Amino acid sequence: MSNAHAHSAVAHQFDTAEQQQEAASLGMWAFIVQEILFFGGLFVTYIVYRSMYPVAFHDGSHHLDITLGTFNTAVLIGSSLTMALAVHAAQTSRKSNLVFFLVSTLVLGSVFLGVKAIEYSHKFHEHHVPGLDFHGPPQQELFFSLYFAMTGLHALHMIIGAGILLVIIYQSMRGMYDSSYYTPVEMFGLYWHFVDIVWIFLFPLLYLLGRTLPAVTH
């Protein structure tokens, strides 16, 4: 990137590119902390109700497809790797690699959402969607209410991330990012890793906790 191009990437309220990057990093970390508090409330709610209704929550987890959940976990871990490689490609001015790894991240994210849509469709057919002719005890309906709230919110973050990723891919194809300016790629990488980490906590909490024990009710 030329000096003129590098200078144009700096917004008018900042004196240097370094100052702009520091401000962007601070803003992104503040956003992530707020998101941690937001998801943390859901995690605490889930833990409290699970401690109150352990049998219903344990049986509810047996209705989740552990194979699809495990597959999606592997997909998201792979997307974190491709996102990290995309940031490195931007830092080293490798445009083709940057575009390739960004597209790979988008594809993996889309696969995750597709699998989650399949899981949701199974729950509709099994009458495990709260409020829609739910089949099961009320406490188990509470489990699925939290399941849809937590995984649905996570999926929404994935959808938003995919939209942002499309913009970054377009800008990368136009050569907007290289070693002198890659802040948007790096900041989006932080967001994507955060979303992936949230799933790393959701998966064992919803799918694996108490999985070795047989279901008590059906």
Side-chain angles (χ1 to χ4, degrees):
M1 185 183 295
S2 65
N3 290 335
H5 192 179
H7 180 73
S8 65
V10 179
H12 66 87
Q13 66 267 35
F14 300 106
D15 295 328
T16 64
E18 291 75 15
Q19 185 186 61
Q20 177 173 269
Q21 185 172 15
E22 289 175 1
S25 297
L26 179 61
M28 178 53 71
W29 280 113
F31 171 77
I32 289 176
V33 168
Q34 171 234 305
E35 290 292 289
I36 290 173
L37 294 173
F38 189 65
F39 275 101
L42 287 173
F43 280 116
V44 170
T45 301
Y46 178 88
I47 292 170
V48 168
Y49 278 113
R50 188 179 184 100
S51 67
M52 293 173 62
Y53 310 111
V55 174
F57 273 57
H58 165 261
D59 291 352
S61 68
H62 278 263
H63 292 287
L64 302 182
D65 193 322
I66 192 171
T67 301
L68 292 180
T70 301
F71 175 77
N72 255 357
T73 301
V75 167
L76 274 196
I77 291 174
S79 75
S80 267
L81 173 61
T82 56
M83 191 63 233
L85 291 172
V87 173
H88 182 263
Q91 293 171 335
T92 54
S93 301
R94 298 179 181 178
K95 176 184 173 181
S96 59
N97 286 2
L98 171 60
V99 173
F100 173 78
F101 287 124
L102 288 174
V103 171
S104 298
T105 302
L106 179 61
V107 169
L108 290 171
S110 299
V111 169
F112 177 92
L113 290 171
V115 172
K116 183 51 64 181
I118 292 173
E119 284 192 84
Y120 280 179
S121 68
H122 289 170
K123 296 297 161 283
F124 274 97
H125 291 124
E126 295 167 357
H127 299 282
H128 284 151
V129 179
L132 297 178
D133 191 27
F134 183 86
H135 289 182
Q139 294 85 359
Q140 199 172 102
E141 186 172 12
L142 179 58
F143 168 83
F144 281 104
S145 295
L146 288 168
Y147 165 79
F148 278 103
M150 297 168 81
T151 60
L153 183 62
H154 177 265
L156 176 61
H157 280 71
M158 292 285 296
I159 293 171
I160 293 172
I164 298 172
L165 195 49
L166 283 171
V167 175
I168 294 178
I169 290 172
Y170 172 73
Q171 293 173 337
S172 298
M173 293 176 67
R174 296 185 61 191
M176 288 187 62
Y177 307 121
D178 61 12
S179 59
S180 64
Y181 179 66
Y182 53 85
T183 300
V185 180
E186 186 177 38
M187 295 305 103
F188 178 77
L190 290 175
Y191 173 86
W192 194 261
H193 293 319
F194 165 74
V195 174
D196 290 354
I197 290 172
V198 169
W199 178 258
I200 296 301
F201 283 95
L202 283 175
F203 175 61
L205 199 63
L206 295 170
Y207 291 76
L208 302 181
L209 196 60
R211 192 76 184 194
T212 57
L213 300 174
V216 177
T217 60
H218 301 279

